[in-house]
Amino acid sequence: MLHELLLAFLGHTGDIFQIVPPSQSADKNGGIQQHPGTIQLAPDIPLAEEAEKYRLNQLAAIGYDYLQLELFVDREQDMVFSSLGSEGEQLAKHLSVYRRAFATGVEEVLRTYRAAVLRLEQEIVRTPGCTPMPLTKVQLILSDFFIILPQLHSLVRELLSRKLCGGALLQHLYDRATNGIPVLQSCIQRILWHCNQVWYKQLIAWMIHGVLPSQNNEFLIVRSSANSAASAASSAADADSTLEWHTGEPHPPKVPVTATRP
């Protein structure tokens, strides 16, 4: 049973542990009650004690959070690779470099989790005799991830439902990092570090080289709409000088910018 539980920790299900997809039902007040997805024991698995079944379901649920986080990371990576293809120009317009950085941070957490599951498996194999490892010890070894992964899954759902990107994503991560759980705080701060690398590079590009990131207007400085009309009416020479004002041209830029909070 422990080996099947280890597989469930990594989102691999079968005859013993099965995925229960999200569902909804009507509550007694006439409203809609949402039931999140999870991984649970198959209903036809005989167990001597109900408490053991409850504990196994409680432990295996983390595998569903891991699976959804892995799918999110894979989707973000697939979008990056697809943007390099024939239809890459259209797809690139919908890419968010901040979400890509966020996915990189999540993948770093998942790698740490996979390594912890591997160490747990090695310890189970090295356990002498036929006495199985207690479930309480399994929970203790992965205790940090029983806090981290459900919260990261919730964070990803918020990111997708609210379509957070740019400064809004950074601000949301700052807010979520302010909590009283040290292990969760350090995890979100690490993901925030990845997103801040994008922010710092965009800031350096603007302040030192005068280059505005053009992708999805995720930077806090954007070109004003008034400048777009002026640029369209300007001559080719003026347009070239406008685009290259940051290279050391003596005249001030002809492209006004508007500082906005994304």
Side-chain angles (χ1 to χ4, degrees), residues 36-184:
T38 186
I39 292 179
Q40 291 185 351
L41 278 169
D44 56 347
I45 298 297
L47 287 177
E49 298 181 4
E50 193 67 24
E52 184 181 4
K53 180 178 180 180
Y54 174 80
R55 177 60 62 86
L56 286 170
N57 286 336
Q58 188 181 40
L59 294 176
I62 193 178
Y64 185 82
D65 296 316
Y66 168 83
L67 181 61
Q68 296 304 309
L69 291 172
E70 189 177 44
L71 289 175
F72 167 75
V73 172
D74 291 342
R75 281 196 300 266
E76 289 297 318
Q77 292 177 346
D78 289 342
M79 289 183 65
V80 173
F81 292 134
S82 299
S83 66
L84 303 176
S86 57
E87 299 180 355
E89 185 175 350
Q90 292 295 327
L91 185 59
K93 296 179 180 179
H94 303 286
L95 289 177
S96 168
V97 289
Y98 285 88
R99 277 178 50 173
R100 196 186 317 167
F102 176 85
T104 302
V106 172
E107 172 59 23
E108 184 177 298
V109 176
L110 296 184
R111 283 199 302 268
T112 306
Y113 172 71
R114 287 192 291 266
V117 174
L118 176 60
R119 289 194 299 270
L120 175 60
E121 182 181 23
Q122 292 171 343
E123 187 169 347
I124 291 174
V125 172
R126 288 196 299 263
T127 301
C130 299
T131 304
M133 179 181 292
L135 294 179
T136 52
K137 186 174 182 180
V138 174
Q139 186 173 11
L140 177 63
I141 293 174
L142 299 178
S143 58
D144 289 348
F145 296 100
F146 284 102
I147 299 173
I148 292 173
L149 294 193
Q151 291 297 320
L152 285 186
H153 186 195
S154 172
L155 187 57
V156 167
R157 289 199 303 266
E158 291 180 5
L159 183 150
L160 296 177
S161 62
R162 297 170 56 182
K163 298 181 180 180
L164 297 175
C165 61
L169 176 57
L170 288 177
Q171 184 61 49
H172 191 66
L173 287 176
Y174 275 118
D175 295 339
R176 291 294 292 266
T178 307
N179 58 72
I181 308 175
V183 64
L184 180 61

Side-chain angles (χ1 to χ4, degrees), residues 213-226:
S214 59
Q215 192 176 32
N216 293 340
N217 290 329
E218 290 187 290
F219 191 47
L220 81 163
I221 305 295
V222 296
R223 298 183 188 275
S224 68
S225 57

Side-chain angles (χ1 to χ4, degrees), residues 9-23:
F9 282 157
L10 298 179
H12 301 293
T13 56
D15 295 333
I16 297 181
F17 288 96
Q18 299 178 349
I19 293 180
V20 179
S23 60

